[in-house]
Amino acid sequence: MRRTKILATLGPATDKPGVLEELFRAGVDAVRLNFSHGSAQDHIDRANNVRAVSKKTGRRVGILADLQGPKIRIARFAEDKVWLDEGQDFALDINLNENDGDNTHVGITYEALANEVKEGSRLLLDDGRVVLDVVNVVNGRINCTVVVGGYLSNNKGINLLGGGLSAAALTEKDKEDIITIGKIQADFVAVSFPRCADDLHLARKLLADVDCHAGIVAKIERAEAMQKEVMDEIILASDVIMVARGDLGVEIGDANLPAAQKILISRSRELDRAVITATQMMESMIENPIPTRAEVFDVANAVLDGTDAIMLSAETAAGKYPVQTVQAMVRVCLETDKQRAARTSKHRVDTRFERTDEAIAMAAMYLANHSDIQGLVSLTESGATPLWMSRIRSGLPIFAFSGSEATLGRVTLYRGVIPIYYELKTQDHVQINRDVIELLKQFHYAEKGDTFIITKGDLTGQEGGTNALKVVTVGAGLIPE
């Protein structure tokens, strides 16, 4: 069974009749609603469609709402785009009319930029395709020299090499979008460009105000977020980290990106947080029905690094082959998951556990990895036990049984964790074990002779109460065939 999760962005390509259901059957585990595009009603409609197809297919697929965040952009050109030559002068001017750009200057939407750059600052436009060096700043006009030229079109993004721009992570648009997200009741909300833990705490509070308790995804996009203290602060304040390789690569330099990805994945797992790896994972499949070998290696390396999920953006939202893209990614993940490097772990071997439920989770994984076990079952209220289990590398499936839809949604991004709805109707532990095995058999996860580890609490249904571990075999003892 595939352990690495696939997160697919929805858009016009997936709105076509039948495509969303095909994505479900191809293997998506969660979908992304990109609030940088579309109306509030577009997102509500797509979320409703996801829930309808989940019900139809019997697969619980999570919903991640991705906030736009601060977009530091140039304004517009009179003729939509211009060509810039290497070595020419070009200016970004906060005083220029929004539509009056030409090949000598263009307006900018982020007025503070003129106060945050200085002589020698390097600006990267359009994800680094155009590079400018600042010569000086005069009355809000940032005079530059073109270092890397090319076409530059309307509304392209601006990054400062090395980071340091002060734009707030949550904009007024984001705050309005959070109201929509409350109506959708998304499972996760991604915060763009967080600078510190306070940005994530504010997002959590705003969500709570609209009665939404979605997991917080921190998108690591700023250079300053790679500083050790800031990184740990952001990871601990969030539920999931996204290695957002687009803007991050622009700010720290592409050559530093592979190491940054490995550091972020490793540190997030050490701190018991899930990780998504994103951006251009199968970019060529926007136009082509098969991936390049470089893209196959990129996906495989993220799996070997230990990422929980890999994300598709335009490949599924606007590409020609959304279903084939997911199928290709599934194949790569399945084969890579089989490698020993993806199944071995020394996570927390020398750690003293403060909580019983955490110790039970670690003990279950140790037993599973050193015995003839076919899978683990966690009866969970909060999703914490399957999260801890999933931090240990293993080739075994982890089944999260819960009667809470919010919890089932939360675990859709955890590596190797399969959500199964189970409504607890008894405190009889023998009957619960039988119910669990019967459900596994119904979903074709269990057959006679298979052995499973079941974790639960003496007082089942109590959050944080996991204190028991049971080994059961189908067709043996009190468990019928």
Side-chain angles (χ1 to χ4, degrees):
M1 281 180 275
R2 174 171 51 89
R3 298 180 57 74
T4 307
K5 301 302 184 76
I6 295 175
L7 170 63
T9 303
L10 301 187
T14 63
D15 290 341
K16 296 174 182 176
V19 173
L20 183 60
E21 186 170 338
E22 287 186 67
L23 288 180
F24 271 58
R25 299 193 187 282
V28 294
D29 300 286
V31 298
R32 170 176 173 253
L33 306 177
N34 185 0
F35 276 74
S36 294
H37 305 285
S39 67
Q41 193 59 49
D42 288 337
H43 301 305
I44 292 170
D45 290 344
R46 285 172 182 151
N48 289 338
N49 288 338
V50 169
R51 299 248 161 79
V53 177
S54 281
K55 186 175 182 180
K56 180 178 179 179
T57 61
R59 292 193 65 240
R60 179 60 162 92
V61 167
I63 296 175
L64 183 151
D66 194 342
L67 296 171
Q68 177 175 293
K71 289 297 181 183
I72 301 169
R73 297 182 181 276
I74 62 170
R76 300 176 61 84
F77 296 98
E79 297 184 357
D80 293 333
K81 69 177 180 180
V82 298
W83 176 269
L84 300 181
D85 290 313
E86 181 180 332
Q88 78 164 74
D89 295 333
F90 187 73
L92 308 177
D93 194 341
I94 66 173
N95 303 302
L96 193 66
N97 185 282
E98 181 181 0
N99 298 302
D100 285 354
D102 58 31
N103 73 337
T104 65
H105 59 190
V106 71
I108 47 178
T109 61
Y110 179 60
E111 294 188 4
L113 185 65
N115 300 318
E116 296 182 353
V117 298
K118 57 186 179 181
E119 180 183 352
S121 295
R122 175 158 288 189
L123 297 172
L124 303 106
L125 282 60
D126 191 12
D127 288 337
R129 293 179 178 88
V130 172
V131 180
L132 310 176
D133 277 351
V134 176
V135 175
N136 56 36
V137 182
V138 180
N139 297 326
R141 182 181 175 90
I142 305 167
N143 296 306
C144 304
T145 299
V146 178
V147 179
V148 177
Y151 279 111
L152 183 62
S153 56
N154 297 333
N155 304 319
K156 294 303 182 184
I158 306 171
N159 291 85
L160 174 63
L161 184 65
L165 298 181
S166 63
L170 290 170
T171 66
E172 290 306 311
K173 178 185 184 307
D174 295 332
K175 293 173 183 177
E176 287 296 317
D177 286 340
I178 283 174
I179 296 172
T180 301
I181 291 167
K183 296 175 184 176
I184 291 171
Q185 285 295 306
D187 300 299
F188 297 93
V189 174
V191 179
S192 299
F193 297 96
R195 294 170 299 174
C196 59
D198 286 345
D199 291 333
L200 305 167
H201 295 325
L202 175 59
R204 205 180 292 276
K205 178 188 179 300
L206 292 173
L207 285 163
D209 289 345
V210 293
D211 198 27
C212 180
H213 301 283
I216 297 293
V217 179
K219 297 171 67 176
I220 306 301
E221 299 179 280
R222 296 180 186 261
E224 46 266 52
M226 290 304 301
Q227 299 169 11
K228 179 66 166 61
E229 298 79 9
V230 178
M231 182 193 302
D232 282 4
E233 175 186 324
I234 289 174
I235 292 171
L236 290 170
S238 63
D239 302 289
V240 182
I241 292 298
M242 183 187 292
V243 186
R245 303 184 305 181
D247 284 288
L248 181 61
V250 172
E251 293 212 353
I252 68 174
D254 287 341
N256 295 312
L257 198 54
Q261 174 176 308
K262 293 179 185 297
I263 290 167
L264 285 165
I265 292 174
S266 174
R267 189 57 179 154
S268 296
R269 290 180 65 85
E270 288 172 2
L271 296 176
D272 292 326
R273 299 299 189 270
V275 194
I276 302 165
T277 304
T279 314
Q280 295 179 324
M281 303 217 72
M282 287 194 163
E283 184 90 346
S284 73
M285 291 194 74
I286 295 173
E287 297 290 339
N288 300 297
I290 59 172
T292 66
R293 288 180 176 86
E295 289 166 340
V296 170
F297 271 77
D298 184 32
V299 170
N301 278 322
V303 174
L304 292 172
D305 287 343
T307 193
D308 287 84
I310 43 185
M311 191 176 95
L312 295 165
S313 299
E315 298 98 326
T316 51
K320 295 179 180 178
Y321 305 99
V323 177
Q324 291 92 325
T325 303
V326 172
Q327 291 169 339
M329 192 168 264
V330 165
R331 289 193 297 271
V332 177
C333 291
L334 279 170
E335 291 305 315
T336 309
D337 280 339
K338 294 176 184 177
Q339 304 304 310
R340 180 172 177 81
R343 295 181 174 218
T344 56
S345 176
K346 294 183 179 179
H347 178 64
R348 308 195 72 175
V349 167
D350 301 318
T351 299
R352 180 180 178 84
F353 302 109
E354 300 297 327
R355 293 178 54 165
T356 299
D357 50 354
E358 187 175 4
I360 290 289
M362 296 298 100
M365 290 306 299
Y366 187 88
L367 175 58
N369 282 340
H370 293 81
S371 305
D372 185 16
I373 299 292
Q374 278 64 57
L376 301 99
V377 174
S378 169
L379 273 70
T380 180
E381 287 296 310
S382 67
T385 300
L387 171 64
W388 288 320
M389 288 178 171
S390 67
R391 300 310 86 190
I392 299 288
R393 295 196 185 213
S394 169
L396 298 171
I398 301 163
F399 301 96
F401 276 59
S402 182
S404 165
E405 283 294 337
T407 297
L408 294 175
R410 186 74 61 93
V411 305
T412 55
L413 285 181
Y414 297 167
R415 184 181 178 94
V417 178
I418 299 168
I420 295 180
Y421 181 80
Y422 174 61
E423 185 178 358
L424 189 68
K425 296 180 178 178
T426 179
Q427 293 290 330
D428 183 333
H429 289 269
V430 172
Q431 187 57 50
I432 291 171
N433 293 341
R434 289 174 178 159
D435 291 345
V436 163
I437 296 301
E438 187 57 39
L439 270 174
L440 292 177
K441 287 161 61 180
Q442 286 180 23
F443 287 112
H444 306 291
Y445 292 127
E447 58 185 27
K448 183 179 179 181
D450 286 348
T451 299
F452 293 86
I453 295 171
I454 301 175
T455 65
K456 54 182 181 292
D458 282 337
L459 295 174
T460 50
Q462 178 178 304
E463 187 170 321
T466 298
N467 63 359
L469 181 158
K470 181 78 172 178
V471 180
V472 301
T473 300
V474 182
L478 297 173
I479 307 299
E481 295 182 12

